[in-house]
Amino acid sequence: MNFALILFILVIISGIAWVADKLHFAPQRRAAGVERMPLWLEYTASFFPVICAVFILRSFIVEPFKIPSGSMIPTLQIGDFILVNKFTYGIRLPVINQKVIELGSPQRGDVVVFRYPRDESVDYIKRIVALPGDVIEYQDKRLKINGQALSYSNGEPYLDPESMHYAKRFTESFPADLGGNHHEIINDPDRPAGLFPAERFPGFEACHYVNAGLVCTVPPGSYFAMGDNRDNSADSRYWGFVPDQNIVGKAFFVWLNLGSLGRIGGFN
């Protein structure tokens, strides 16, 4: 369901009714000494300011999402309600998602919501690990970007609440000249490192798959995204790159989790 399109249609319908009431129906009621709107007008024109405000807020400022899966554990848990900044990466026209004002672009380590390249009616959330032109290597469950290895520390046991299986929790850090972002990931030592995409994807020829991982050169205008739950995430390793035009915004805040109110707050 394209909620943005539905909301846009409601804005148009209620807006036309609101203008028609101001210019035509309201003067007629005043002349006839009638105060109450017709029922059809009351349920269209009177809701226009609210619907318009929601449309503007959701389209250009901030949009709420709910985390449906465990692919971003431990950073995000199933059931987290998050807020996504819609203007960090530029102003886009709603519905068609066309960028009209450039304000920035995703950086390594950002957690972003985007339209899934294979089905743009579905929203995904992952972490950007490589930018256009980067050479990304994922070998034996460790990352290198442009030949520079990311560092990994800790490695204590972590019970994955989705699989109820013990994994290892690491702090993954980008080198300073690659942004310096650090965040937590989990790896399952019992899962193989080999990656085998189910089918070819746009830009597939830029990737080389081996038993222990892959090497890819990120095409212009695209990003390489991965889940923090590295062995339980369908991401760019399997279905390819994220085009810039599919980016929805940057996730930055957990505003509710009905199962754990203590999770409310920002995240890395």
Side-chain angles (χ1 to χ4, degrees):
M1 179 185 295
N2 191 332
F3 185 72
L5 178 59
I6 294 172
L7 196 58
F8 178 70
I9 292 172
L10 290 175
V11 169
I12 296 299
I13 293 173
S14 61
I16 292 173
W18 185 81
V19 171
D21 180 58
K22 295 297 182 183
L23 299 180
H24 180 69
F25 295 112
Q28 284 189 344
R29 291 198 304 274
R30 286 194 294 269
V34 177
E35 294 184 4
R36 185 176 177 84
M37 289 182 177
L39 193 62
W40 70 270
L41 198 58
E42 185 175 348
Y43 280 95
T44 51
S46 61
F47 283 101
F48 171 67
V50 174
I51 295 174
C52 187
V54 170
F55 179 74
I56 292 173
L57 179 69
R58 184 184 184 276
S59 299
F60 301 108
I61 302 174
V62 67
E63 183 175 357
F65 288 88
K66 182 181 179 182
I67 302 300
S69 74
S71 71
M72 284 298 292
I73 292 171
T75 305
L76 295 169
Q77 303 286 336
I78 298 172
D80 282 348
F81 289 86
I82 64 168
L83 295 178
V84 173
N85 186 316
K86 298 296 291 286
F87 59 84
T88 296
Y89 304 137
I91 304 298
R92 296 177 185 265
L93 295 177
V95 181
I96 62 174
N97 208 41
Q98 177 65 47
K99 187 182 291 187
V100 292
I101 301 177
E102 184 71 54
L103 295 177
S105 59
Q107 301 300 305
R108 301 179 192 92
D110 286 359
V111 177
V112 302
V113 171
F114 54 90
R115 292 178 288 119
Y116 179 40
R118 290 186 175 176
D119 181 359
E120 295 191 357
S121 66
V122 178
D123 293 315
Y124 268 33
I125 182 166
K126 305 290 180 187
R127 189 179 298 277
I128 299 297
V129 296
L131 308 180
D134 281 349
V135 176
I136 176 172
E137 301 176 53
Y138 187 69
Q139 302 283 345
D140 296 318
K141 303 190 180 184
R142 294 293 185 265
L143 277 171
K144 286 184 179 180
I145 306 295
N146 301 330
Q148 298 189 64
L150 277 64
S151 63
Y152 295 84
S153 57
N154 300 325
E156 68 272 12
Y158 178 85
L159 180 61
D160 184 337
E162 183 177 37
S163 66
M164 296 306 294
H165 180 77
Y166 273 99
K168 287 191 174 181
R169 181 174 185 159
F170 296 92
T171 298
E172 181 180 73
S173 303
F174 285 87
D177 59 344
L178 293 179
N181 179 281
H182 57 88
H183 49 268
E184 293 187 326
I185 66 164
I186 60 174
N187 274 326
D188 184 347
D190 295 329
R191 295 281 293 273
L195 307 168
F196 304 98
E199 58 186 79
R200 295 175 70 90
F201 48 79
F204 180 85
E205 63 281 357
C207 291
H208 174 60
Y209 287 83
V210 295
N211 288 337
L214 58 78
V215 179
C216 290
T217 300
V218 185
S222 296
Y223 300 90
F224 198 97
M226 297 176 68
D228 289 347
N229 190 348
R230 291 291 162 80
D231 295 308
N232 189 23
S233 172
D235 51 40
S236 290
R237 295 171 290 175
Y238 301 94
W239 43 253
F241 306 103
V242 180
D244 182 73
Q245 62 265 27
N246 285 46
I247 300 293
V248 173
K250 180 180 180 180
F252 70 97
F253 192 80
V254 176
W255 63 273
L256 181 65
N257 185 311
L258 294 174
S260 178
L261 296 180
R263 286 197 48 75
I264 296 174
F267 58 86
N268 184 14

